[in-house]
Amino acid sequence: MTTMTMPISAQRRYVRNTVANVLRILINAVVAVILPAYLTHKLPVSTYGAWVLVLQLGAYVSYLDIGVQTAVAKYIAEYRAKNEPENCDRAATAGFRLLVTAAVFGLILMPIVALCMPHFFHQIPASLRREAQIGVILIGGSLAVNLACSAFPAIFQGLQEYRIPNAIGILNKVLYGATIVVTVLLHGSMVQMGIVAAVINIGTAVLQIVTWKKWASFIHINVSLKHTGMTKRVFEYCGVLSIWSASMLFISGLDLTIVGHYAFAQTAFYAVAVAPASMQIMLLSAGLGPMMPAASALSVQRSARMVGTMLVKVTRYAAIYLVLTGLPLIVCAPWLLTLWVGPVYAERSVYLLRILAAANIIRYFLSPYATFVIAIGKQRVATISAVSEGVVNLTVSVLLARHHGAVGVAYGTLIGAVTGVLVHIAVSMHFTYDDIAVSRKLFFYGGLLRPFLISLPSGVWLLWQAIHPAALSVFPFSLWMAATILAAWFISLRPSERDTLVHFAGRHFHRQAGSV
């Protein structure tokens, strides 16, 4: 078998993959901003609420992946680092078999979900129930087909070549947004919206096969061969990841469903609040995505202490990003929402957005650690954190939703996030020390506390805003921005890092000046 040569350094490859991921996320973010703004103005609140609920229910098929794509990417990256091409083929074939099995289960599951909808979401208007049921079957069924073909982009990820799957993802999102806008503009029904979305999802699946055939078919998938040992290995690796996947379902996959069950009238407003916080995390995931195969290969070649040192640095950078992107969502929520979806949605969504943005900042502080743990295959010992957060999130959300509706679900998310972080630091890091050698004290102070201090000016701002809530005043707002930027520069970054950034900026400036 021939192998793909990559005559570039690991660092350059990581940067290139990150740029490709960020570009895809930015396009997705543009669609995620434009589409809800359009739909909230064109559709009745109840119809928009039913549509986002259909999307949520159909997306449950993706949880059937149980980490198979991650496993395929991990093993291909490892076996290529060890120059074992036959095992790359076995890993890809095993992943494909498992994903096809999961897709078949999804195709069976979606009609059952559709049949149960009127009984579980009894507050949905009768005029929308039939369309919502058909929409779930269309969306969920097409995503099941896409799931069966997701082994092919996983192969590219294992090869640490993200450009092709990212290009397909961009095309999918742009076509989806454009066709939904046209369908609504032509006064199409929810069923017609589901049909166009399903066609695009299935077309994406076909394109994934075509691109693998053209650029990565040297990683063979041969379902006629029996690779029982590799299938068992991949499945065992995914066994713990499936628990993580179930925990993520409890954390973020059931929130809109719980709101729809207890307070359907608030579903549309909760969906609006979720979207900005989700875009913030999508950009973080774009940066951390290429880290998984890179860290997997690094764990083979470097010591545990070097892996731990890298983890602290990546965690601090991720925390700085989370704080700097999350604080504007909290501080500027009323004005951002009004500009985006109008005053009616803004009034009902602002408090929800602030709670969910705070929850995301806290939860994803530990996302680099989770990425490293999965990369080195030690996710089993870190499962207690994901399970704890999922159980607390679901339990508190259901209990509070009964009396407080959507706000109760948001608070459940926040309480669950705090729980997950505390358990990660207190328990999980103790059991992964042999592979990621870093003290919890150094991790907390060096990776988390310094970036968190950036939020101090925002606390002062929110207190001032509570006293003077009428309008956005330019001077206090400018003062908040300046204080936040200065805190990020002088508190969260080390002197050597500031010097590096200044040197890089100066070199870039001189290069641009020279070209002029």
Side-chain angles (χ1 to χ4, degrees):
M1 185 189 86
T2 59
T3 57
M4 179 182 293
T5 59
M6 290 188 237
I8 57 175
S9 67
Q11 184 177 6
R12 286 183 60 194
R13 185 186 303 117
Y14 175 77
V15 171
R16 189 180 68 182
N17 289 336
T18 301
V19 170
N21 267 9
V22 169
L23 178 61
R24 175 178 61 85
I25 296 301
L26 287 175
I27 298 297
N28 290 351
V30 170
V31 176
V33 168
I34 295 175
L35 193 57
Y38 178 79
L39 295 180
T40 53
H41 286 86
K42 294 293 183 179
L43 298 176
V45 171
S46 59
T47 303
Y48 182 67
W51 174 245
V52 295
L53 193 58
V54 164
L55 295 178
Q56 176 75 78
L57 294 173
Y60 287 153
V61 169
S62 63
Y63 287 94
L64 298 175
D65 170 84
I66 65 168
V68 175
Q69 292 184 67
T70 301
V72 171
K74 167 188 163 58
Y75 284 125
I76 288 179
E78 284 188 4
Y79 289 134
R80 280 181 59 81
K82 297 176 182 178
N83 195 25
E84 299 178 6
E86 293 82 5
N87 281 330
C88 289
D89 297 346
R90 294 188 181 104
T93 301
F96 179 74
R97 284 177 174 150
L98 291 172
L99 288 168
V100 169
T101 302
V104 171
F105 182 72
L107 289 171
I108 298 172
L109 180 63
M110 283 299 103
I112 298 174
V113 172
L115 288 173
C116 295
M117 282 187 68
H119 305 286
F120 193 78
F121 304 105
H122 47 82
Q123 298 179 22
I124 294 181
S127 60
L128 295 174
R129 289 177 186 172
R130 182 69 173 174
E131 291 189 14
Q133 289 176 292
I134 298 174
V136 166
I137 295 174
L138 289 168
I139 298 296
S142 63
L143 288 176
V145 175
N146 206 300
L147 177 64
C149 298
S150 58
F152 303 109
I155 290 173
F156 283 103
Q157 293 167 9
L159 297 172
Q160 301 186 51
E161 289 289 342
Y162 282 62
R163 292 171 294 176
I164 293 174
N166 281 336
I168 295 174
I170 291 173
L171 181 63
N172 173 276
K173 187 62 66 173
V174 171
L175 289 177
Y176 165 76
T179 53
I180 291 296
V181 166
V182 172
T183 303
V184 173
L185 183 64
L186 297 176
H187 306 287
S189 66
M190 199 184 307
V191 172
Q192 291 169 322
M193 293 166 66
I195 290 173
V196 297
V199 170
I200 291 170
N201 288 335
I202 294 173
T204 299
V206 174
L207 191 56
Q208 288 169 348
I209 300 174
V210 171
T211 53
W212 164 73
K213 279 281 190 181
K214 185 172 180 61
W215 286 292
S217 58
F218 56 86
I219 302 292
H220 301 100
I221 293 180
N222 190 344
V223 294
S224 64
L225 297 179
K226 301 295 183 182
H227 301 306
T228 307
M230 181 59 69
T231 301
K232 181 180 179 181
R233 186 174 183 182
V234 172
F235 188 75
E236 288 177 348
Y237 177 86
C238 296
V240 178
L241 284 184
S242 65
I243 300 176
W244 284 41
S245 182
S247 299
M248 288 307 300
L249 176 64
F250 293 162
I251 292 167
S252 59
L254 293 177
D255 50 0
L256 202 62
T257 303
I258 296 171
V259 175
H261 176 69
Y262 288 103
F264 175 77
Q266 301 175 27
T267 304
F269 306 114
Y270 193 90
V272 165
V274 167
S278 298
M279 285 188 288
Q280 172 199 15
I281 301 309
M282 284 193 297
L283 285 171
L284 177 65
S285 300
L288 292 178
M291 179 62 69
M292 200 285 296
S296 183
L298 181 70
S299 66
V300 177
Q301 303 164 351
R302 298 290 187 270
S303 67
R305 189 162 298 279
M306 293 180 68
V307 176
T309 300
M310 176 182 286
L311 173 64
V312 174
K313 180 178 290 188
V314 174
T315 298
R316 186 154 47 84
Y317 291 159
I320 293 171
Y321 163 80
L322 285 167
V323 173
L324 289 180
T325 55
L327 289 178
L329 295 180
I330 297 173
V331 171
C332 307
W335 307 287
L336 289 175
L337 287 172
T338 300
L339 181 64
W340 181 36
V341 292
V344 175
Y345 275 86
E347 182 181 358
R348 303 287 297 274
S349 303
V350 61
Y351 194 50
L352 297 170
L353 173 57
R354 283 175 165 168
I355 299 172
L356 294 172
N360 274 346
I361 292 174
I362 295 171
R363 173 189 299 122
Y364 287 95
F365 272 161
L366 272 294
S367 55
Y369 171 72
T371 301
F372 273 61
V373 167
I374 295 173
I376 64 174
K378 294 292 184 179
Q379 64 271 20
R380 185 182 301 276
V381 297
T383 302
I384 185 174
S385 174
V387 173
S388 299
E389 181 178 358
V391 170
V392 170
N393 191 322
L394 178 62
T395 303
V396 176
S397 293
V398 171
L399 291 175
L400 295 181
R402 293 179 176 179
H403 305 286
H404 304 286
V407 172
V409 177
Y411 271 119
T413 302
L414 177 61
I415 295 171
V418 174
T419 302
V421 169
L422 292 178
V423 175
H424 256 316
I425 295 175
V427 180
S428 302
M429 295 192 72
H430 170 73
F431 292 104
T432 57
Y433 185 82
D434 290 342
D435 298 280
I436 306 175
V438 59
S439 71
R440 284 174 284 185
K441 182 178 180 180
L442 174 63
F443 179 82
F444 177 76
Y445 285 105
L448 300 179
L449 182 60
R450 291 174 65 178
F452 184 76
L453 294 176
I454 301 173
S455 63
L456 291 179
S458 298
V460 177
W461 163 268
L462 291 175
L463 180 62
W464 183 91
Q465 190 182 22
I467 301 173
H468 306 280
L472 177 63
S473 180
V474 175
F475 176 72
F477 183 75
S478 301
L479 192 62
W480 164 77
M481 287 187 60
T484 300
I485 293 172
L486 290 174
W489 182 256
F490 288 105
I491 297 177
S492 64
L493 292 176
R494 294 175 178 175
S496 59
E497 293 169 335
R498 295 198 294 269
D499 292 341
T500 300
L501 288 175
V502 170
H503 176 73
F504 176 80
R507 187 173 60 181
H508 179 73
F509 174 78
H510 288 303
R511 185 184 298 116
Q512 293 296 322
S515 64
V516 173

